[in-house]
Amino acid sequence: MSSDPLSGTLFVFCSRRRHAIKCLTYDGQGFWLCQKRLSQGRYLRWPTPDGPPSFRLDPHQLHLLLWNGDPSATVTMWRAVQAE
């Protein structure tokens, strides 16, 4: 991983059996670790076996991933807001 763990970056990991996703971040005082475990089924669409070992997720992609969706199938819906 090329990102600094102390920079506030949110790291997202999937368990080997693909039944849980863990998020790790540093808030300036310590590390936060959050986990979502599926009660049934597995995360099927992420990570892909032939995909890169790490990549950037947009906020809406993370939201979709946490609901067991496919983050690579989304399009960017956000646009920059111009200050007047």
Side-chain angles (χ1 to χ4, degrees):
M1 294 182 280
S2 62
S3 296
D4 179 16
L6 302 178
S7 69
T9 301
L10 180 71
F11 294 92
V12 181
F13 304 93
C14 188
S15 65
R16 283 186 199 168
R17 294 188 320 182
R18 301 171 75 104
H19 70 283
I21 285 188
K22 295 179 183 176
C23 299
L24 176 71
T25 191
Y26 183 75
D27 70 356
Q29 296 178 338
F31 285 96
W32 282 86
L33 179 65
C34 303
Q35 176 177 327
K36 178 172 184 178
R37 184 181 185 278
L38 296 176
S39 56
Q40 294 180 353
R42 298 173 188 261
Y43 287 97
L44 302 174
R45 297 172 187 90
W46 183 85
T48 58
D50 57 341
S54 65
F55 58 92
R56 183 180 182 275
L57 284 174
D58 290 328
H60 66 280
Q61 290 175 311
L62 176 61
H63 183 251
L64 186 62
L65 176 64
L66 291 173
W67 283 90
N68 202 9
D70 185 2
S72 63
T74 64
V75 294
T76 303
M77 302 177 295
W78 309 102
R79 62 179 175 85
V81 176
Q82 303 269 334
E84 297 182 298

Coordinates of all heavy atoms in Angstrom, one line a residue:
M1 N 0.8 -1.2 0.0 CA 0.0 0.0 0.0 C 0.9 1.2 0.0 O 1.8 1.3 0.8 CB -0.9 0.0 1.2 CG -1.9 -1.1 1.2 SD -3.0 -1.1 2.6 CE -2.0 -1.9 3.8
S2 N 0.5 2.2 -0.8 CA 1.3 3.4 -0.9 C 0.8 4.5 -0.1 O 1.5 5.5 0.0 CB 1.4 3.8 -2.4 OG 0.1 4.1 -2.8
S3 N -0.3 4.4 0.6 CA -0.8 5.4 1.5 C -0.3 5.3 2.9 O 0.0 4.2 3.4 CB -2.4 5.3 1.5 OG -2.9 5.6 0.2
D4 N -0.2 6.5 3.5 CA 0.3 6.5 4.9 C -0.9 6.2 5.9 O -1.9 6.9 5.8 CB 0.8 7.9 5.2 CG 1.3 8.1 6.6 OD1 1.5 7.1 7.3 OD2 1.5 9.3 7.0
P5 N -0.8 5.2 6.7 CA -1.9 4.9 7.6 C -2.3 6.0 8.6 O -3.4 6.1 9.1 CB -1.4 3.7 8.4 CG -0.2 3.2 7.7 CD 0.3 4.3 6.9
L6 N -1.3 6.9 8.9 CA -1.6 8.0 9.8 C -2.2 9.3 9.1 O -2.3 10.3 9.8 CB -0.3 8.4 10.6 CG 0.3 7.2 11.3 CD1 1.6 7.7 12.0 CD2 -0.6 6.7 12.4
S7 N -2.4 9.2 7.8 CA -2.9 10.4 7.1 C -4.4 10.6 7.2 O -4.9 11.6 6.7 CB -2.5 10.2 5.6 OG -3.2 9.2 5.0
G8 N -5.2 9.6 7.7 CA -6.6 9.7 7.8 C -7.3 9.0 6.6 O -8.5 9.0 6.5
T9 N -6.5 8.3 5.8 CA -7.1 7.5 4.8 C -7.9 6.3 5.4 O -7.5 5.7 6.4 CB -5.9 6.9 3.9 OG1 -5.2 7.9 3.4 CG2 -6.5 6.0 2.8
L10 N -9.0 6.0 4.7 CA -9.8 4.9 5.2 C -9.4 3.7 4.4 O -9.5 3.7 3.2 CB -11.3 5.2 4.9 CG -12.3 4.1 5.4 CD1 -12.3 4.0 6.9 CD2 -13.7 4.3 4.8
F11 N -8.9 2.6 5.1 CA -8.5 1.4 4.4 C -9.7 0.4 4.6 O -10.2 0.2 5.7 CB -7.3 0.8 5.1 CG -6.1 1.7 4.8 CD1 -5.7 2.7 5.8 CD2 -5.3 1.5 3.7 CE1 -4.6 3.5 5.5 CE2 -4.2 2.3 3.5 CZ -3.8 3.3 4.4
V12 N -10.0 -0.3 3.5 CA -11.1 -1.3 3.5 C -10.6 -2.6 3.1 O -9.9 -2.8 2.1 CB -12.2 -0.8 2.5 CG1 -13.4 -1.8 2.5 CG2 -12.7 0.6 2.8
F13 N -10.8 -3.6 3.9 CA -10.4 -5.0 3.7 C -11.5 -6.0 3.7 O -12.5 -5.8 4.4 CB -9.4 -5.4 4.8 CG -8.2 -4.5 5.0 CD1 -8.3 -3.5 5.9 CD2 -7.1 -4.7 4.3 CE1 -7.2 -2.6 6.1 CE2 -6.0 -3.9 4.5 CZ -6.0 -2.8 5.4
C14 N -11.4 -7.0 2.9 CA -12.4 -8.1 2.9 C -11.7 -9.3 3.5 O -10.5 -9.6 3.3 CB -12.8 -8.4 1.5 SG -14.2 -9.5 1.3
S15 N -12.5 -10.1 4.3 CA -12.0 -11.3 5.0 C -11.8 -12.4 3.9 O -12.3 -12.3 2.8 CB -12.9 -11.8 6.1 OG -14.2 -12.2 5.5
R16 N -11.0 -13.4 4.3 CA -10.7 -14.5 3.4 C -11.9 -15.2 2.9 O -12.0 -15.6 1.8 CB -9.7 -15.5 4.0 CG -8.3 -15.0 4.0 CD -7.4 -16.0 4.5 NE -6.1 -15.4 4.9 CZ -5.2 -16.0 5.6 NH1 -5.3 -17.2 6.0 NH2 -4.1 -15.3 5.9
R17 N -12.8 -15.5 3.8 CA -14.0 -16.2 3.4 C -15.1 -15.3 2.8 O -16.1 -15.7 2.5 CB -14.6 -16.9 4.7 CG -13.7 -18.0 5.2 CD -14.3 -18.8 6.2 NE -15.1 -18.0 7.2 CZ -15.7 -18.5 8.2 NH1 -15.6 -19.8 8.5 NH2 -16.4 -17.7 9.0
R18 N -14.7 -14.0 2.7 CA -15.6 -13.0 2.1 C -16.9 -12.8 2.7 O -17.9 -12.5 2.1 CB -15.7 -13.3 0.6 CG -14.4 -13.4 -0.1 CD -14.6 -14.0 -1.5 NE -15.1 -13.0 -2.4 CZ -14.4 -12.3 -3.3 NH1 -13.2 -12.5 -3.4 NH2 -15.0 -11.4 -4.1
H19 N -17.0 -13.0 4.0 CA -18.2 -12.7 4.7 C -18.2 -11.5 5.6 O -19.2 -11.1 6.2 CB -18.6 -14.0 5.6 CG -17.7 -14.1 6.8 ND1 -16.4 -14.6 6.7 CD2 -17.9 -13.8 8.1 CE1 -15.9 -14.6 7.9 NE2 -16.8 -14.1 8.8
A20 N -17.1 -10.8 5.6 CA -17.0 -9.5 6.4 C -16.1 -8.5 5.7 O -15.1 -8.9 4.9 CB -16.4 -9.9 7.8
I21 N -16.4 -7.3 5.9 CA -15.5 -6.1 5.5 C -15.1 -5.3 6.7 O -15.9 -5.1 7.6 CB -16.3 -5.3 4.5 CG1 -16.4 -6.0 3.1 CG2 -15.7 -3.9 4.3 CD1 -17.0 -5.2 2.0
K22 N -13.9 -5.0 6.7 CA -13.3 -4.2 7.8 C -12.8 -2.9 7.3 O -12.2 -2.8 6.2 CB -12.2 -4.9 8.5 CG -12.7 -6.2 9.2 CD -11.6 -6.9 9.9 CE -12.1 -8.2 10.5 NZ -11.1 -9.0 11.1
C23 N -13.0 -1.8 8.0 CA -12.6 -0.4 7.7 C -11.6 0.0 8.8 O -12.0 -0.1 10.0 CB -13.7 0.5 7.5 SG -14.9 0.1 6.2
L24 N -10.5 0.5 8.4 CA -9.5 1.0 9.4 C -9.1 2.4 9.0 O -8.8 2.7 7.9 CB -8.3 0.1 9.3 CG -7.1 0.5 10.2 CD1 -7.4 0.2 11.6 CD2 -5.8 -0.3 9.8
T25 N -9.1 3.3 10.0 CA -8.6 4.7 9.8 C -8.0 5.2 11.1 O -8.2 4.7 12.2 CB -9.8 5.6 9.3 OG1 -9.2 6.8 8.9 CG2 -10.8 5.8 10.4
Y26 N -7.2 6.3 11.0 CA -6.6 6.9 12.1 C -7.2 8.3 12.2 O -7.2 9.1 11.2 CB -5.1 7.0 11.9 CG -4.3 7.6 13.0 CD1 -4.1 6.9 14.2 CD2 -3.8 8.9 12.9 CE1 -3.4 7.4 15.2 CE2 -3.1 9.5 14.0 CZ -2.9 8.7 15.1 OH -2.2 9.3 16.2
D27 N -7.6 8.7 13.4 CA -8.3 10.0 13.6 C -7.4 11.1 14.3 O -7.9 12.1 14.7 CB -9.6 9.9 14.3 CG -9.4 9.5 15.8 OD1 -8.3 9.3 16.3 OD2 -10.5 9.4 16.5
G28 N -6.1 10.8 14.5 CA -5.2 11.8 15.2 C -5.0 11.4 16.6 O -4.0 11.8 17.2
Q29 N -5.8 10.6 17.2 CA -5.6 10.1 18.6 C -5.5 8.6 18.6 O -4.9 8.1 19.6 CB -6.8 10.5 19.4 CG -7.0 12.0 19.6 CD -8.2 12.3 20.4 OE1 -9.2 11.5 20.6 NE2 -8.3 13.5 21.0
G30 N -6.0 7.9 17.7 CA -5.9 6.5 17.7 C -6.5 5.9 16.4 O -7.1 6.7 15.6
F31 N -6.5 4.6 16.3 CA -7.1 3.9 15.2 C -8.6 3.6 15.5 O -8.9 3.2 16.6 CB -6.3 2.7 14.9 CG -5.0 3.0 14.2 CD1 -3.8 3.0 14.9 CD2 -4.9 3.2 12.8 CE1 -2.6 3.3 14.3 CE2 -3.7 3.4 12.2 CZ -2.6 3.5 13.0
W32 N -9.4 3.6 14.4 CA -10.7 3.2 14.4 C -10.8 1.9 13.6 O -10.3 1.9 12.5 CB -11.7 4.2 13.8 CG -12.0 5.3 14.7 CD1 -11.3 6.5 14.9 CD2 -13.2 5.4 15.5 NE1 -12.0 7.3 15.8 CE2 -13.1 6.7 16.2 CE3 -14.2 4.6 15.8 CZ2 -14.1 7.1 17.1 CZ3 -15.2 5.0 16.7 CH2 -15.1 6.2 17.3
L33 N -11.5 0.9 14.1 CA -11.7 -0.3 13.3 C -13.2 -0.6 13.3 O -13.8 -0.8 14.4 CB -10.9 -1.5 13.9 CG -11.0 -2.8 13.2 CD1 -10.5 -2.8 11.8 CD2 -10.3 -3.9 14.0
C34 N -13.8 -0.7 12.1 CA -15.2 -1.0 12.0 C -15.3 -2.3 11.2 O -14.5 -2.5 10.3 CB -16.0 0.1 11.3 SG -15.8 1.7 12.1
Q35 N -16.3 -3.1 11.5 CA -16.5 -4.3 10.7 C -18.0 -4.5 10.4 O -18.8 -4.3 11.3 CB -16.0 -5.6 11.5 CG -16.3 -6.9 10.9 CD -15.8 -8.1 11.6 OE1 -14.7 -8.0 12.3 NE2 -16.5 -9.2 11.5
K36 N -18.3 -5.0 9.2 CA -19.6 -5.4 8.9 C -19.5 -6.8 8.4 O -18.8 -7.2 7.5 CB -20.2 -4.6 7.7 CG -21.6 -5.1 7.3 CD -22.3 -4.2 6.4 CE -23.7 -4.8 6.1 NZ -24.4 -3.9 5.2
R37 N -20.3 -7.7 9.1 CA -20.3 -9.1 8.8 C -21.7 -9.5 8.3 O -22.7 -9.1 8.9 CB -20.0 -9.9 10.1 CG -19.9 -11.4 9.8 CD -19.6 -12.2 11.1 NE -19.4 -13.6 10.8 CZ -20.4 -14.4 10.7 NH1 -21.7 -14.0 10.8 NH2 -20.2 -15.7 10.5
L38 N -21.7 -10.1 7.2 CA -23.0 -10.5 6.6 C -23.5 -11.7 7.4 O -22.8 -12.7 7.7 CB -22.8 -10.9 5.1 CG -22.4 -9.8 4.2 CD1 -22.2 -10.4 2.8 CD2 -23.4 -8.7 4.2
S39 N -24.8 -11.7 7.7 CA -25.4 -12.8 8.4 C -25.7 -14.0 7.5 O -25.7 -15.1 8.0 CB -26.7 -12.4 9.1 OG -27.6 -11.9 8.2
Q40 N -25.8 -13.7 6.2 CA -26.0 -14.8 5.2 C -25.3 -14.4 4.0 O -25.2 -13.2 3.6 CB -27.5 -15.0 4.9 CG -28.3 -15.5 6.0 CD -29.7 -15.7 5.6 OE1 -30.1 -15.3 4.5 NE2 -30.5 -16.3 6.5
G41 N -24.7 -15.3 3.3 CA -24.0 -15.1 2.0 C -22.6 -14.5 2.2 O -22.0 -14.5 3.3
R42 N -22.1 -14.1 1.1 CA -20.7 -13.6 1.0 C -20.7 -12.4 0.1 O -21.6 -12.2 -0.7 CB -19.7 -14.6 0.5 CG -19.7 -15.9 1.3 CD -18.8 -16.9 0.6 NE -18.9 -18.2 1.3 CZ -18.0 -18.6 2.1 NH1 -16.9 -17.9 2.4 NH2 -18.1 -19.8 2.8
Y43 N -19.6 -11.6 0.2 CA -19.4 -10.5 -0.7 C -18.9 -11.1 -2.0 O -17.8 -11.7 -2.1 CB -18.3 -9.5 -0.2 CG -18.9 -8.6 1.0 CD1 -18.7 -9.0 2.3 CD2 -19.7 -7.5 0.7 CE1 -19.2 -8.2 3.3 CE2 -20.2 -6.8 1.7 CZ -20.0 -7.1 3.0 OH -20.5 -6.3 4.0
L44 N -19.7 -11.0 -3.0 CA -19.4 -11.8 -4.3 C -18.6 -10.9 -5.3 O -17.9 -11.5 -6.1 CB -20.7 -12.2 -4.9 CG -21.5 -13.2 -4.0 CD1 -22.9 -13.5 -4.7 CD2 -20.8 -14.4 -3.7
R45 N -18.8 -9.6 -5.3 CA -18.3 -8.8 -6.4 C -17.0 -8.1 -6.1 O -16.4 -7.5 -6.9 CB -19.4 -7.8 -6.8 CG -20.6 -8.5 -7.3 CD -21.7 -7.4 -7.5 NE -22.9 -8.1 -7.9 CZ -23.9 -8.5 -7.0 NH1 -23.7 -8.4 -5.7 NH2 -25.0 -9.1 -7.4
W46 N -16.6 -8.1 -4.8 CA -15.4 -7.4 -4.5 C -14.6 -8.1 -3.4 O -15.3 -8.6 -2.5 CB -15.7 -6.0 -4.0 CG -14.5 -5.2 -3.7 CD1 -13.8 -4.4 -4.5 CD2 -13.9 -5.0 -2.4 NE1 -12.8 -3.8 -3.9 CE2 -12.8 -4.2 -2.6 CE3 -14.2 -5.5 -1.1 CZ2 -12.0 -3.8 -1.5 CZ3 -13.3 -5.2 -0.1 CH2 -12.2 -4.3 -0.3
P47 N -13.3 -8.2 -3.4 CA -12.5 -7.9 -4.5 C -12.5 -9.0 -5.6 O -12.8 -10.1 -5.3 CB -11.1 -7.8 -3.9 CG -11.2 -8.7 -2.7 CD -12.6 -8.7 -2.2
T48 N -12.2 -8.6 -6.8 CA -12.1 -9.6 -7.8 C -10.8 -10.3 -7.9 O -9.8 -9.6 -7.6 CB -12.4 -8.9 -9.2 OG1 -11.4 -7.9 -9.4 CG2 -13.8 -8.3 -9.3
P49 N -10.7 -11.5 -8.2 CA -9.5 -12.3 -8.2 C -8.4 -11.7 -9.2 O -7.2 -11.8 -8.9 CB -9.8 -13.7 -8.5 CG -11.3 -13.8 -8.4 CD -11.9 -12.4 -8.5
D50 N -8.9 -11.2 -10.3 CA -8.0 -10.7 -11.3 C -7.8 -9.2 -11.2 O -7.0 -8.7 -12.0 CB -8.5 -11.1 -12.7 CG -9.9 -10.5 -13.0 OD1 -10.6 -10.2 -12.0 OD2 -10.3 -10.4 -14.1
G51 N -8.3 -8.6 -10.2 CA -8.2 -7.1 -10.1 C -6.9 -6.7 -9.3 O -6.2 -7.6 -8.8
P52 N -6.7 -5.4 -9.2 CA -5.5 -4.9 -8.5 C -5.6 -5.2 -7.0 O -6.7 -5.3 -6.5 CB -5.5 -3.5 -8.9 CG -6.9 -3.1 -9.2 CD -7.5 -4.3 -9.8
P53 N -4.5 -5.3 -6.3 CA -4.5 -5.6 -4.9 C -5.1 -4.4 -4.1 O -5.6 -4.6 -3.0 CB -3.1 -5.9 -4.5 CG -2.3 -5.3 -5.6 CD -3.1 -5.3 -6.8
S54 N -5.0 -3.2 -4.6 CA -5.5 -2.0 -4.0 C -6.0 -1.0 -5.0 O -5.4 -0.9 -6.1 CB -4.5 -1.4 -3.0 OG -3.4 -0.9 -3.7
F55 N -7.0 -0.2 -4.7 CA -7.5 0.8 -5.5 C -8.3 1.8 -4.7 O -8.6 1.5 -3.6 CB -8.3 0.3 -6.7 CG -9.5 -0.5 -6.3 CD1 -10.7 0.0 -6.2 CD2 -9.3 -1.9 -6.1 CE1 -11.8 -0.7 -5.9 CE2 -10.4 -2.7 -5.7 CZ -11.7 -2.1 -5.6
R56 N -8.6 3.0 -5.3 CA -9.3 4.0 -4.6 C -10.8 3.8 -4.8 O -11.3 3.5 -5.9 CB -8.9 5.4 -5.2 CG -9.5 6.5 -4.6 CD -9.1 7.8 -5.3 NE -9.6 9.0 -4.7 CZ -10.8 9.5 -4.9 NH1 -11.6 8.9 -5.8 NH2 -11.2 10.6 -4.3
L57 N -11.6 4.0 -3.7 CA -13.0 4.0 -3.7 C -13.6 5.4 -3.5 O -13.1 6.1 -2.6 CB -13.6 3.0 -2.7 CG -13.5 1.6 -2.9 CD1 -14.0 0.8 -1.6 CD2 -14.3 1.1 -4.0
D58 N -14.6 5.8 -4.2 CA -15.3 7.0 -3.9 C -16.3 6.7 -2.8 O -16.7 5.6 -2.6 CB -16.0 7.5 -5.2 CG -15.0 8.0 -6.2 OD1 -14.0 8.6 -5.9 OD2 -15.3 7.9 -7.4
P59 N -16.8 7.8 -2.1 CA -17.8 7.5 -1.0 C -19.0 6.7 -1.5 O -19.4 5.8 -0.8 CB -18.1 8.9 -0.6 CG -17.0 9.8 -0.9 CD -16.4 9.2 -2.2
H60 N -19.5 7.0 -2.6 CA -20.7 6.3 -3.1 C -20.4 4.8 -3.4 O -21.2 4.0 -3.3 CB -21.4 7.0 -4.2 CG -20.6 7.0 -5.5 ND1 -19.6 7.9 -5.7 CD2 -20.7 6.2 -6.6 CE1 -19.1 7.7 -6.9 NE2 -19.8 6.7 -7.5
Q61 N -19.2 4.6 -3.8 CA -18.7 3.2 -4.1 C -18.6 2.4 -2.8 O -19.0 1.2 -2.7 CB -17.4 3.1 -4.9 CG -17.5 3.6 -6.3 CD -16.2 3.7 -7.0 OE1 -15.2 4.2 -6.4 NE2 -16.1 3.1 -8.1
L62 N -18.1 3.0 -1.8 CA -18.0 2.4 -0.5 C -19.4 2.1 0.1 O -19.7 1.0 0.6 CB -17.2 3.2 0.5 CG -17.1 2.7 2.0 CD1 -16.4 1.4 2.0 CD2 -16.5 3.7 2.9
H63 N -20.3 3.0 -0.1 CA -21.7 2.8 0.4 C -22.3 1.6 -0.3 O -22.9 0.8 0.3 CB -22.5 4.1 0.1 CG -23.9 4.0 0.6 ND1 -25.0 4.0 -0.2 CD2 -24.4 4.0 1.8 CE1 -26.1 3.9 0.4 NE2 -25.8 3.9 1.7
L64 N -22.1 1.5 -1.6 CA -22.6 0.4 -2.4 C -22.0 -0.9 -2.0 O -22.7 -1.9 -1.8 CB -22.4 0.7 -3.9 CG -23.1 -0.3 -4.8 CD1 -24.6 -0.3 -4.7 CD2 -22.7 0.0 -6.3
L65 N -20.7 -0.9 -1.7 CA -20.0 -2.1 -1.3 C -20.5 -2.6 0.0 O -20.7 -3.8 0.2 CB -18.5 -1.8 -1.2 CG -17.6 -2.9 -0.7 CD1 -17.6 -4.1 -1.6 CD2 -16.2 -2.4 -0.5
L66 N -20.8 -1.7 1.0 CA -21.2 -2.1 2.3 C -22.6 -2.7 2.2 O -23.0 -3.5 3.1 CB -21.3 -0.9 3.2 CG -19.9 -0.4 3.6 CD1 -20.0 0.9 4.5 CD2 -19.1 -1.5 4.4
W67 N -23.4 -2.4 1.1 CA -24.7 -3.1 0.9 C -24.6 -4.2 0.0 O -25.5 -4.7 -0.6 CB -25.7 -2.0 0.4 CG -26.2 -1.2 1.5 CD1 -25.6 0.0 1.9 CD2 -27.2 -1.4 2.3 NE1 -26.3 0.5 2.9 CE2 -27.3 -0.3 3.3 CE3 -28.2 -2.4 2.5 CZ2 -28.3 -0.3 4.3 CZ3 -29.1 -2.4 3.4 CH2 -29.2 -1.3 4.3
N68 N -23.3 -4.8 -0.2 CA -23.0 -5.9 -1.0 C -23.3 -5.7 -2.5 O -23.7 -6.6 -3.2 CB -23.7 -7.2 -0.5 CG -23.0 -8.5 -1.0 OD1 -22.0 -8.4 -1.5 ND2 -23.7 -9.6 -0.8
G69 N -23.1 -4.5 -3.0 CA -23.2 -4.2 -4.4 C -21.9 -4.2 -5.1 O -20.8 -4.6 -4.5
D70 N -21.8 -3.9 -6.3 CA -20.6 -3.9 -7.1 C -20.1 -2.5 -7.3 O -20.7 -1.7 -8.0 CB -20.9 -4.5 -8.5 CG -19.7 -4.7 -9.4 OD1 -18.6 -4.4 -8.9 OD2 -19.8 -5.1 -10.5
P71 N -19.0 -2.1 -6.6 CA -18.5 -0.8 -6.7 C -17.9 -0.4 -8.0 O -17.9 0.8 -8.4 CB -17.4 -0.7 -5.6 CG -17.0 -2.1 -5.4 CD -18.2 -2.9 -5.7
S72 N -17.5 -1.4 -8.8 CA -16.9 -1.1 -10.1 C -18.0 -0.8 -11.2 O -17.7 -0.3 -12.2 CB -16.1 -2.2 -10.6 OG -16.9 -3.4 -10.8
A73 N -19.3 -1.0 -10.8 CA -20.4 -0.8 -11.8 C -21.0 0.6 -11.7 O -21.9 0.9 -12.4 CB -21.4 -1.9 -11.6
T74 N -20.5 1.4 -10.8 CA -21.1 2.7 -10.6 C -20.4 3.8 -11.4 O -19.3 3.6 -11.9 CB -20.9 3.2 -9.1 OG1 -19.6 3.3 -8.8 CG2 -21.6 2.2 -8.2
V75 N -21.1 4.8 -11.6 CA -20.6 6.0 -12.3 C -20.5 7.1 -11.3 O -21.3 7.2 -10.4 CB -21.4 6.4 -13.6 CG1 -21.3 5.3 -14.6 CG2 -22.8 6.7 -13.2
T76 N -19.6 8.1 -11.5 CA -19.5 9.2 -10.6 C -20.7 10.1 -10.8 O -21.0 10.6 -11.9 CB -18.2 10.0 -10.8 OG1 -17.1 9.0 -10.7 CG2 -18.0 11.1 -9.8
M77 N -21.4 10.3 -9.7 CA -22.6 11.2 -9.7 C -22.3 12.6 -9.1 O -23.2 13.4 -9.1 CB -23.7 10.5 -8.9 CG -24.1 9.1 -9.4 SD -25.3 8.4 -8.4 CE -24.5 8.2 -6.9
W78 N -21.1 12.8 -8.6 CA -20.8 14.0 -7.8 C -20.2 15.0 -8.8 O -19.5 14.7 -9.7 CB -19.9 13.7 -6.7 CG -20.3 12.6 -5.8 CD1 -19.9 11.3 -5.8 CD2 -21.4 12.6 -4.9 NE1 -20.6 10.5 -4.9 CE2 -21.5 11.3 -4.3 CE3 -22.2 13.6 -4.4 CZ2 -22.4 11.0 -3.3 CZ3 -23.2 13.3 -3.4 CH2 -23.2 12.0 -2.9
R79 N -20.5 16.2 -8.5 CA -19.8 17.3 -9.3 C -19.4 18.4 -8.3 O -19.9 18.5 -7.2 CB -20.8 17.9 -10.3 CG -22.0 18.5 -9.8 CD -22.9 19.1 -10.9 NE -24.1 19.6 -10.4 CZ -24.3 20.8 -9.9 NH1 -23.3 21.7 -9.8 NH2 -25.5 21.2 -9.4
A80 N -18.4 19.1 -8.7 CA -17.9 20.2 -7.8 C -18.9 21.3 -7.7 O -19.6 21.7 -8.7 CB -16.6 20.7 -8.4
V81 N -19.0 21.9 -6.5 CA -19.9 23.0 -6.3 C -19.1 24.3 -6.4 O -18.1 24.4 -5.7 CB -20.6 22.9 -4.9 CG1 -21.5 24.1 -4.6 CG2 -21.4 21.6 -4.8
Q82 N -19.6 25.2 -7.1 CA -18.9 26.5 -7.3 C -19.4 27.5 -6.2 O -20.6 27.7 -6.0 CB -19.2 27.1 -8.7 CG -18.9 26.2 -9.8 CD -17.5 26.4 -10.3 OE1 -16.9 27.5 -10.2 NE2 -16.9 25.4 -10.9
A83 N -18.4 28.1 -5.5 CA -18.8 29.1 -4.5 C -19.0 30.4 -5.2 O -18.3 30.8 -6.1 CB -17.6 29.2 -3.5
E84 N -20.0 31.1 -4.8 CA -20.3 32.4 -5.4 C -19.8 33.6 -4.6 O -19.7 33.6 -3.5 CB -21.8 32.6 -5.6 CG -22.4 31.5 -6.5 CD -23.9 31.7 -6.8 OE1 -24.6 31.6 -5.8 OE2 -24.2 32.0 -7.9

